[in-house]
């Protein structure tokens, strides 16, 4: 059972007096507290530290934690250049990189970014799959790539990742097509469904697709992205989630919780809710801390660390059962 934390790389999570250089110490403290992974997200909409820059900064100051993206948006970058950057981070970390990718979705977090990147919106999912296939080809020494949408020739010798074949690539998303593509093409699944039952049914669909492609369930890491806030009571937790939803997403909590997994309340309540996802099959939790300044982020990190032993115990119990 792996339990990781999302670093607060967005300015919305620093507070008025926040210093983003503190994120290095934040990551090191998370490793010391027993978290097994550090993740960052990616966007051009809100000001933030660029995802791969953040991971490159963390690589030499951490020792064992997985470094991951949740999720990287490949259409924001030239495919061959991104393959080089990812291979470099994997090398600098000694093979600890995991790359979760996504294609974006309609609204302010989707099509406007494609326009800024001068990449066509139509067939975006096919473009995502081809981009990942190109990365893998480059990591394996290919000098050309020919897909339906992407054609590259004359690729010079590129940086090879630490691991043969490159870092694992996971897919975010829970639409039926995404479940099928995850099972056939990707090394992991990182969705955020509000209901653990939907996680269980989605994971079953991923496993069916994997079997149909001649793969096993073990070829796909079952992960979960979930926003948490640990506090003294449920009402205070709801208030924190409401502030977070409106500040980060510009929408009320009642709308955000229809599409994303969010959990708040006392330690025992949060643990029980997360254990439901563990029972549903999740084996790598990526926890986003729902606060809006670095001091509160550090406080939440300490509180959430108290959940780690119980969640790992639940995973062991579920595996035995």
């Amino acid at each position: 059972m792996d339990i990781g934390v999302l670093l607060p790389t967005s300015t919305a999570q620093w507070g008025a007096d926040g210093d983003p250089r503190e994120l290095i110490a934040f990551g090191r403290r998370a490793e010391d507290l027993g978290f097994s992974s550090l993740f960052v997200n990616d966007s051009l909409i809100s000001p933030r530290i660029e995802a791969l820059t953040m991971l490159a900064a963390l690589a030499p100051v951490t020792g064992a934690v997985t470094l991951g993206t949740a999720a990287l948006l490949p259409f924001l970058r030239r495919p061959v250049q991104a393959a080089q950057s990812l291979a470099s981070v994997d090398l600098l970390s000694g093979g600890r990189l995991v790359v979760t990718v996504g294609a974006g979705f309609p609204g302010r977090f989707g099509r406007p970014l494609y326009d800024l990147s001068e990449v066509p919106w139509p067939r975006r999912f096919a473009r995502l799959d081809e981009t990942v296939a190109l990365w893998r080809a480059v990591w394996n020494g290919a000098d050309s790539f020919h897909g339906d949408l992407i054609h590259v020739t004359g690729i010079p010798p590129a940086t090879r990742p630490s691991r043969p074949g490159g870092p694992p690539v996971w897919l975010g998303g829970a639409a039926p097509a995404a479940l099928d593509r995850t099972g056939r093409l990707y090394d992991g699944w990182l969705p955020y469904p509000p209901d653990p039952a939907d996680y269980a049914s989605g994971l079953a669909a991923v496993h069916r697709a994997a079997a149909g492609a001649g793969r096993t369930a073990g070829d796909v890491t079952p992960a979960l992205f979930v926003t948490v806030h640990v506090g003294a009571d449920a009402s205070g937790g709801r208030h924190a989630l409401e502030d977070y939803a409106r500040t980060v997403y510009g929408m009320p909590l009642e709308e955000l919780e229809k599409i994303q997994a969010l959990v708040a309340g006392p330690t025992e309540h949060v643990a029980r809710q997360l254990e439901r996802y563990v029972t549903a099959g999740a084996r790598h939790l990526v926890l986003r801390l729902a606060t809006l300044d670095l001091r509160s982020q550090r406080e939440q990190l300490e509180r959430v660390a108290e959940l780690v032993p119980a969640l790992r115990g639940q995973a062991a119990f579920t595996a035995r059962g």
Side-chain angles (χ1 to χ4, degrees), residues 292-313:
L292 299 172
D293 63 77
L294 289 179
R295 179 188 58 79
S296 298
Q297 286 278 338
R298 291 191 295 270
E299 291 175 355
Q300 281 294 304
L301 184 70
E302 302 288 333
R303 294 177 185 176
V304 171
E306 299 175 7
L307 304 173
V308 171
L311 292 171
R312 287 180 174 151

Side-chain angles (χ1 to χ4, degrees), residues 160-250:
R160 295 291 187 93
S162 179
R163 285 165 289 186
V169 184
W170 299 357
L171 185 65
L179 301 176
D180 179 71
R181 290 162 52 235
T182 299
R184 291 187 295 106
L185 302 172
Y186 289 86
D187 305 306
W189 182 47
L190 183 63
Y192 45 54
D195 189 339
D198 291 334
Y199 187 91
S201 62
L203 184 58
V206 169
H207 288 166
R208 288 194 297 271
R215 308 174 74 201
T216 70
D219 292 329
V220 183
T221 299
L224 172 75
F225 185 94
V226 55
T227 301
V228 302
H229 186 279
V230 177
D233 54 63
S235 62
R238 292 283 299 176
H239 181 74
L241 291 181
E242 181 72 48
D243 288 346
Y244 192 87
R246 291 186 179 275
T247 301
V248 175
Y249 287 96

